[in-house]
Amino acid sequence: QAKDQGRGCYAYFSEDQTIAARERIALETRLRRAIEQQELRVFYQPQVDIASGRIVGAEALVRWQDPAEGLIPPLRFIPIAEETGLILDIGKWVLRETCRQGRRWLDEGLPPLTLAVNVSPQQFRRGNISALVEAVLNETGFPAEHLELEMTESGLLENQSNVMELLNKLRYQGVRLAIDDFGTGFSSLAYLKHFPLDVLKIDKSFIDDIPHLQDDMEIAATIIAMGHILGFKVLAEGVETPEQLAFLREKNCDSYQGYILSPPVPAEAFALLLREQGIN
Ligand code: C2E
Ligand code: MG
Ligand code: MG
Ligand code: MG
């Protein structure tokens, strides 16, 4: 009986896997078409300077505007894009679109902002990111010093051999470098201090339970203090409550992103937020 059950489970599981595989292939095909049909969008989430309370930048976050399904969040398609290599095309498109938009905002007289773009490990591994950045900055006329590239700890660790060289090259090109989701990977601050980084982004998971979890508060405070000692700016991700913001201010965290001010929004809505706070 146990054997029957086992076989039953196995058969069920295997059928499940087949469905999952089929769905993945279908999604990959749709995603390829979505890129061609220009169904991708860039949304912008404000980055706020904590001391002044002013928007000083934005993170560019991709969405897929599917005609039938509506807005599809990145977590539904980025993993597949990573596996299939489509992330190279997507990443290139997001970078170009963001720099174009940034140039437009400058031309419209909006104050200069830092625009942060996520770079996947694949782009580091085989995307020739340095040449891409140079081409896009030239083509769009967006100033290098206003572009920030976000990468994850694992993205850095996976590419150990030439990563230092690559980061130095990007730095030399004038762009800023940030570590995304800091604290969720396996790198230590002692290790990161060797890299030419500008910003540490504390992962949202350490912010969520402030002010209720003592451990998380200590971790966040430590990342801020040590980050500063090592010469980095520190940004907190996913700030949703006034208590979290008050805590971060008290610990001298430099900036934040979070729903407390705004989720990621389309370019026009972002420009409205900027105008609302008054230009200069
Ligand atoms: P991420 O780079 O860590 O981006 C931050 C995510 O946290 C965004 O989710 C943002 O909407 C969300 N977030 C910010 N503040 C809050 C908050 O207060 N509460 C909550 N609940 N969430 C908040 P999103 O846009 O769904 O993006 C998810 C992830 O997808 C990103 O995480 C990033 O890893 C990836 N991603 C997005 N766009 C791109 C892209 O263009 N290229 C690559 N390679 N990855 C991307
Ligand atoms: Mg990010
Ligand atoms: Mg993050
Ligand atoms: Mg993340």
Side-chain angles (χ1 to χ4, degrees), residues 69-173:
E69 251 188 80
L71 212 56
I72 304 179
L75 294 180
R76 282 234 353 250
F77 63 91
I78 292 284
I80 287 192
E82 295 262 5
E83 284 171 37
T84 56
L86 283 175
I87 192 69
L88 295 181
D89 287 337
I90 295 176
K92 196 183 286 185
W93 181 82
V94 171
L95 180 68
R96 184 171 286 131
E97 177 59 26
T98 303
C99 290
R100 266 194 209 131
Q101 184 59 65
R103 184 67 250 179
R104 241 175 268 143
W105 280 330
L106 284 173
D107 293 342
E108 288 167 13
L110 291 176
L113 296 165
T114 300
L115 296 183
V117 174
N118 292 282
V119 176
S120 98
Q122 289 271 4
Q123 289 177 280
F124 268 106
R125 217 175 294 135
R126 45 193 206 92
N128 200 353
I129 184 71
S130 164
L132 174 66
V133 163
E134 183 174 322
V136 168
L137 292 175
N138 277 332
E139 175 196 319
T140 60
F142 189 65
E145 62 273 23
H146 294 157
L147 177 64
E148 189 166 286
L149 302 179
E150 295 190 4
M151 55 228 148
T152 56
E153 293 163 76
S154 56
L156 287 188
L157 295 169
E158 276 171 33
N159 299 278
Q160 249 164 349
S161 57
N162 59 358
V163 68
M164 188 68 87
E165 199 183 322
L166 185 50
L167 296 184
N168 279 325
K169 199 162 161 191
L170 288 166
R171 249 304 191 68
Y172 185 75
Q173 291 174 269

Side-chain angles (χ1 to χ4, degrees), residues 207 236-241 244-245 248 256-261:
I207 307 300
E237 299 192 89
V239 176
E240 296 182 347
T241 72
Q244 292 167 348
L245 187 52
L248 293 163
Y256 76 89
Q257 288 174 233
Y259 290 3
I260 187 175
L261 179 70

Side-chain angles (χ1 to χ4, degrees), residues 41-79:
R41 302 284 179 270
V42 177
F43 276 33
Y44 299 86
Q45 184 177 38
Q47 297 185 328
V48 183
D49 176 69
I50 292 180
S52 67
R54 298 184 67 83
I55 299 171
V56 290
E59 178 174 6
L61 293 151
V62 71
R63 271 99 182 89
W64 171 4
Q65 181 68 57
D66 185 82
E69 251 188 80
L71 212 56
I72 304 179
L75 294 180
R76 282 234 353 250
F77 63 91
I78 292 284

Side-chain angles (χ1 to χ4, degrees), residues 198-211:
D198 298 281
V199 182
L200 290 183
K201 300 187 72 177
I202 308 177
D203 192 69
K204 177 180 183 305
S205 59
F206 298 108
I207 307 300
D208 284 341
D209 295 315
I210 295 174

